Amino acid sequence: MNDRPALSNLATIDAAHHLHPFSDMKELNARGTRIIERAEGVYIYDSNGKKYLDAFAGLWCVNVGYGRRSIADAAYRQMQELPYYNTFFGTTTPPATLLAQKIASHAGEKLKRVFFTNSGSEATDTWFRMARVYWKVLGKPEKTEVIARKNGYHGSTVAGASLGGMKLMHEQGNLPIEGIHHIGQPYWYAEGGDLSPAEFGLKVARELEEKIDELGEDRVAAFVAEPIQGAGGVIIPPETYWPEIARICKARNVLLVVDEVICGFGRLGAWFGHQYYGVEPDLAPIAKGLSSGYLPIGGVLVSDRVADVMVNELGDFYHGFTYSGHPVSAAAALENIRIIEEEGLVERVRDDIGPYFAEAWKSLEDHDVVGQAESVGLIGGLQLAADKAVRRRYAKPDDIGATVRNHCVENGLIMRATGDRMLASPALTISRLEIDEVVEKLRAALDHLRDTVRE
C-alpha cells in the first residue's frame, strides 16, 4: 500500500513542516511550492505534469543527466552488500578506497589523495582546517589567515559562508569569522572600467599580492577561489588572471586552493577547472559532479606537498564525518565516473557540445538587452544591460534577473539568475537540439524584458 499523500496535498504539508534553503518562507508559502516528481535526461516534470528543460543540471551537479539506471543499480547492490560503515579507527570499504584511486587518476600528477566529506560546504571546512594544521606542523602556527574573493561562493557552513564573499550571507550570523579576508573579483564587465580584460585580469590578481603584503606573508596560510565564479554569476576571469594568481601564491609561499565543486568532473571540457586554466592547486574541494547529485558526497583533493606533511609528520588529524566515504555514495560516484569515462563526456564538452553551446550562447549578444554572453565548456553567464553600448546596468538588477528567470520557468526552462546575470550549466549529455531549445526560450524571455521594462 502506498502511504504517500496525494500530490495535491504535498504543498500544504511542505508549507507546514519544511524549511527550505535560501528561501523567504513567508513568500514561498504564499506562492506555493513547485513539486518536482520525476526526471529523465535533461528534463524534469512537476506534479501537474508540466515539463521543463533543466538548463541548470539541478544545482550545477547532474552532469550525466537524469534517469541513469546503472547508478541506481550500483547504489542498490552496495546497499544490499554493505549499506554503511565508517572510515574511522583504521577501517575502510572497497567503494571508498577505489573511488579515491579513481579520482586521483584524473586529478593530475601532484594530487594523489582524497579526504572524503558529504558536500562541498563540508569540503570547504575540511581544507580550511587542513591548511592551518599544515602550517602549524611546519612550525609556522602564525600562518592562519586566509584570503578569498568578494562575491565568491564556498558553501553555507560557518567557514564556507565566511570564505564566500557575499554580504547578505555575512549579515546573518556575524560573519565572516576571524582570520578571513576578501579581495576583488575578476568581473571585467561591471568593474573593469576603461581597462582591457587582460589589463583588468592582472590588476585584480595583484590585489592578492597587496593583501598578502598588508597582512604579512608569514601570517597568510592560503588563497581560495573558484576557477569560474558560479553562484556569483558565472564570472569568467580574463586569461591573464589565473597565471598571475598562481605566480603570486608560489612566490609568497601561500597555499593555492582551487574550489572545484562546480567546475570539476567535466563541466569546462577538462576533468577539473585547474587543468583548464593550467594551474596546480595545493588543495581542491570537490562535490556535485562527483556523483552527478545522485547521492551526497564530496571531498578534498590533497597535493603531495600537503599530504606528505599530514601523513608523515602530523599524527592524528582530528577531523572527519560519520559519513565520510559512505560506501553507497562512493559506489554511486564510481559508476558516475565510469559513465563519464565510457561515454567520453569530458571530451564531448571540449570538442563537440561545448563549442556548439558557445556559439549558440554567443548569438544572444545581438539582443538589445544583452551586454555580454560568455561561456566555457557547458557553463554560461549572460549579462543583462539597460544600455549595452556603454555597459550600463539596470537600476534594480535583482528584479531584472528575476523577470527573465520567471518568464523562462513559465515557458518550461529552468535557469538561474544572480542579480542581472542569467546562468546556465546543463548536463554534459545535452543535445544540440536541446541547446537550441534553451536559447530559443531564453531569447523569448529577453524579448519580454525588452518589451516590458524601460530604463
Side-chain angles (χ1 to χ4, degrees):
M1 180 178 178
N2 186 357
D3 294 328
R4 190 175 74 173
L7 290 172
S8 59
N9 296 330
L10 284 179
T12 301
I13 294 171
D14 192 80
H17 301 291
H18 185 190
L19 293 175
H20 289 242
F22 284 86
S23 297
D24 179 333
M25 291 308 304
K26 183 177 180 180
E27 186 274 333
L28 177 58
N29 290 343
R31 184 179 74 243
T33 308
R34 180 182 299 107
I35 300 166
I36 304 303
E37 187 178 16
R38 61 188 180 89
E40 185 69 27
V42 298
Y43 293 96
I44 61 174
Y45 300 81
D46 69 19
S47 55
N48 295 314
K50 185 173 179 177
K51 178 181 179 181
Y52 307 82
L53 196 162
D54 181 8
F56 210 65
L59 276 176
W60 322 85
C61 57
V62 189
N63 287 14
V64 300
Y66 296 103
R68 292 287 190 158
R69 178 64 182 268
S70 66
I71 298 179
D73 289 344
Y76 179 60
R77 286 193 302 270
Q78 183 59 45
M79 196 166 284
Q80 288 184 308
E81 185 172 302
L82 179 68
Y84 168 74
Y85 200 71
N86 65 74
T87 53
F88 289 53
F89 316 125
T91 64
T92 189
T93 66
T97 296
L98 293 174
L99 180 60
Q101 178 190 45
K102 177 59 71 174
I103 294 168
S105 74
H106 291 294
E109 293 183 1
K110 297 182 180 180
L111 291 164
K112 296 189 183 73
R113 295 180 187 264
V114 183
F115 188 106
F116 285 115
T117 68
N118 306 295
S119 67
S121 291
E122 286 184 3
T124 292
D125 284 42
T126 298
W127 74 251
F128 182 71
R129 289 194 64 196
M130 196 176 285
R132 287 179 162 183
V133 168
Y134 168 82
W135 289 116
K136 185 175 182 179
V137 172
L138 291 181
K140 299 181 179 182
E142 70 282 359
K143 279 179 82 75
T144 60
E145 309 296 297
V146 176
I147 301 170
R149 296 193 302 207
K150 298 173 184 176
N151 201 37
Y153 185 82
H154 303 289
S156 60
T157 54
V158 170
S162 295
L163 288 160
M166 297 185 172
K167 291 182 178 179
L168 291 176
M169 295 181 72
H170 290 172
E171 290 170 359
Q172 296 180 337
N174 298 321
L175 304 177
I177 58 176
E178 186 177 354
I180 293 174
H181 312 269
H182 296 87
I183 60 172
Q185 60 179 332
Y187 187 2
W188 172 80
Y189 190 92
E191 301 173 8
D194 293 330
L195 296 176
S196 69
E199 292 169 336
F200 179 69
L202 288 174
K203 175 180 179 293
V204 73
R206 288 169 183 167
E207 289 185 27
L208 173 59
E209 203 159 37
E210 294 166 8
K211 181 60 72 173
I212 293 171
D213 287 341
E214 175 190 327
L215 297 171
E217 183 178 318
D218 60 348
R219 296 180 58 227
V220 179
F223 170 71
V224 62
E226 304 153 89
I228 293 171
Q229 283 163 256
V234 182
I235 308 300
I236 299 174
E239 61 182 11
T240 53
Y241 179 80
W242 271 110
E244 185 68 358
I245 288 289
R247 181 196 69 78
I248 292 167
C249 287
K250 184 175 182 180
R252 297 309 188 93
N253 201 22
V254 169
L255 295 178
L256 175 58
V257 183
V258 178
D259 189 326
E260 295 280 8
V261 170
I262 288 173
C263 293
F265 301 96
R267 183 149 299 281
L268 305 189
W271 274 95
F272 294 98
H274 68 265
Q275 294 165 338
Y276 177 84
Y277 283 108
V279 299
E280 294 182 337
D282 297 296
L283 296 162
I286 56 175
K288 295 190 184 293
L290 172 55
S291 70
S292 285
Y294 276 62
L295 282 173
I297 189 169
V300 179
L301 303 177
V302 183
S303 68
D304 293 345
R305 172 188 181 180
V306 176
D308 287 347
V309 172
M310 301 295 290
V311 171
N312 297 316
E313 300 184 44
L314 172 61
D316 287 342
F317 180 39
Y318 299 113
H319 180 83
F321 307 96
T322 300
Y323 305 119
S324 290
H326 191 288
V328 180
S329 295
L334 275 167
E335 177 59 17
N336 173 69
I337 294 175
R338 186 199 66 77
I339 291 170
I340 294 173
E341 291 174 334
E342 188 171 290
E343 297 184 7
L345 295 183
V346 176
E347 296 78 12
R348 180 176 190 264
V349 173
R350 183 189 66 209
D351 300 330
D352 178 18
I353 202 65
Y356 186 85
F357 175 75
E359 183 178 356
W361 193 252
K362 194 72 172 176
S363 72
L364 293 166
E365 275 193 357
D366 67 9
H367 200 283
D368 295 339
V369 300
V370 174
Q372 184 184 47
E374 53 183 348
S375 68
V376 173
L378 283 179
I379 188 170
L382 191 80
Q383 178 69 57
L384 304 174
D387 185 345
K388 60 192 297 179
V390 294
R391 296 193 348 235
R392 181 169 65 84
R393 300 167 68 189
Y394 287 92
K396 296 182 178 180
D398 289 342
D399 292 346
I400 293 301
T403 296
V404 176
R405 180 199 63 214
N406 293 344
H407 191 277
C408 286
V409 172
E410 289 170 8
N411 288 279
L413 175 65
I414 302 295
M415 297 195 68
R416 182 166 175 172
T418 294
D420 54 4
R421 288 180 70 85
M422 301 304 300
L423 322 181
S425 67
L428 312 188
T429 56
I430 193 170
S431 71
R432 294 188 174 202
L433 284 176
E434 289 160 348
I435 286 175
D436 292 344
E437 181 182 345
V438 171
V439 171
E440 179 184 356
K441 289 183 174 179
L442 177 54
R443 186 176 286 276
L446 298 172
D447 290 345
H448 171 73
L449 175 64
R450 178 197 60 205
D451 296 341
T452 57
V453 177
R454 306 284 183 182
E455 287 193 11

